[in-house]
Amino acid sequence: MQPVDVIIVGGGPCGLAAGIEAAKAGLSHLILEMGSLTESIRQYPRRMRFFSTAENIEIGGLPFAISDVKAGRDEALQYYRKAAAYYHLNFKLFEKVWDVTKEGELFTVTTTTGGTYYAHKVIMATGYFTRPRWLNIPGEKLPHVSHYYDEPFKYSFTNVVIIGASNSAVEAALELYRHDVNITVVHRGEDFRSTVKYWLVPDVKNRVKEGKIKTVFNACVTQIDEHSITVNDLKTGEERQIPADFVFILTGYIPDAALLTRCGIDLNPETQVPVFDRETFETNVPGLYVCGTVLAGIYTEKVFIENGREHAQSIIDHIMGREVHKVAELIQRI
Ligand SMILES: Cc1cc2nc3c(=O)[nH]c(=O)nc-3n(C[C@H](O)[C@H](O)[C@H](O)COP(=O)(O)OP(=O)(O)OC[C@H]3O[C@@H](n4cnc5c(N)ncnc54)[C@H](O)[C@@H]3O)c2cc1C
């Protein structure tokens, strides 16, 4: 295949933003996406609503026109598809990148299906949602256990345990409780995480007070069995079983460090944050860039669409040798 000017690995909102900036700059480009377009968002809870307003998750300056203030999952999926079509972006779907190598000035990108692509520049925009934070406990891979919450109706009138106490856990617990699910939240901390959105806190706290959502705090799950989980009380050391027909482990996700390392990108051993220039997003491999949430390492709550979409313009400015667009100062703190 003829080399293109730039290959973008990952067709999420930030990867698409990079594709749009490349197209606007007249660069030949190819987006390689392992799933459907914006696959991560397609795997979000079916009935989720973004916490950002629609205009704050727009890309390429294309208006995200909805009658409501905040978009739902389906609206966002449709918007990003229309944006890709509007800018005639070149992409290959269901093509998972395995590694990126460089010889001279040319990059070779190989995929798990044996595909080989060539480019002068490569942008890694692979996010974090494909890599759950595993608990590494017995039973974690049983069929009734998942790291991805989907929708409530399947679980009505069953016992469901949620492990975790962040936004995703609280939103899932409230939705399941409202669909006649017997819900228990288990978390090693004292309480729900302080990062829980302020509008969710009174709702979940009142449901707990009313006994409609059960919580087991200061506890660690040590095993998952077919019909129950075993928890260890971190204060007393006592062990007990909690009935569970289904278990959701909503303890977050982290970028695919193994993939970045295979591509030659150095990572901070503690934080998993890649080595990259805070203005141009170029990594320690000249011509290889990081874009969007993939650069957050363990700080996944610090980079999201609102700020990650900005990385694209800085990267393409640098590739074009133009004055680089300065992103907000947040990135300096990662
Ligand atoms: C429930 C929920 C609500 C959220 N609400 C908001 C919000 O309101 N506002 C906001 O700004 N952010 C929000 N976020 C965060 C936001 O969705 C993510 O930060 C965003 O998806 C990041 O975009 P991205 O393009 O960096 O990564 P992703 O959207 O994860 O895209 C990365 C893409 O790369 C693909 N990929 C991964 N590995 C490979 C590979 N090896 N080869 C090829 N393709 C690969 C993936 O399939 C994926 O499609 C929310 C997240 C969740 C879970």
Side-chain angles (χ1 to χ4, degrees), residues 10 13-14 33-34 40 44 48 50-52 97 125 293 304-306:
C14 302
E33 163 55 54
M34 66 186 271
S40 299
Y44 286 176
M48 63 80 72
F50 282 82
F51 54 78
S52 306
V97 169
T293 51
F304 37 91
I305 308 173
E306 284 192 38

Side-chain angles (χ1 to χ4, degrees), residues 201-212:
V201 176
D203 190 357
V204 73
K205 294 258 172 168
N206 288 333
R207 303 298 79 77
V208 171
K209 244 188 251 148
E210 295 158 359
K212 294 190 173 136

Side-chain angles (χ1 to χ4, degrees), residues 1-2 7-9 29 38 56 77 83 100 132 154 164 196 207 246 261 287 307-308 315 322-323 331:
M1 287 187 78
Q2 281 305 309
I7 282 180
I8 297 147
V9 183
H29 67 275
T38 65
N56 281 341
L77 289 171
V100 177
K154 173 177 171 183
V196 171
R207 303 298 79 77
F246 297 95
T261 307
N307 52 29
I315 295 169
R322 297 186 299 223
E323 194 196 332
I331 203 83

Side-chain angles (χ1 to χ4, degrees), residues 25-41:
L27 293 171
S28 60
H29 67 275
L30 176 64
I31 300 171
L32 296 172
E33 163 55 54
M34 66 186 271
S36 67
L37 213 60
T38 65
E39 178 66 15
S40 299
I41 297 179

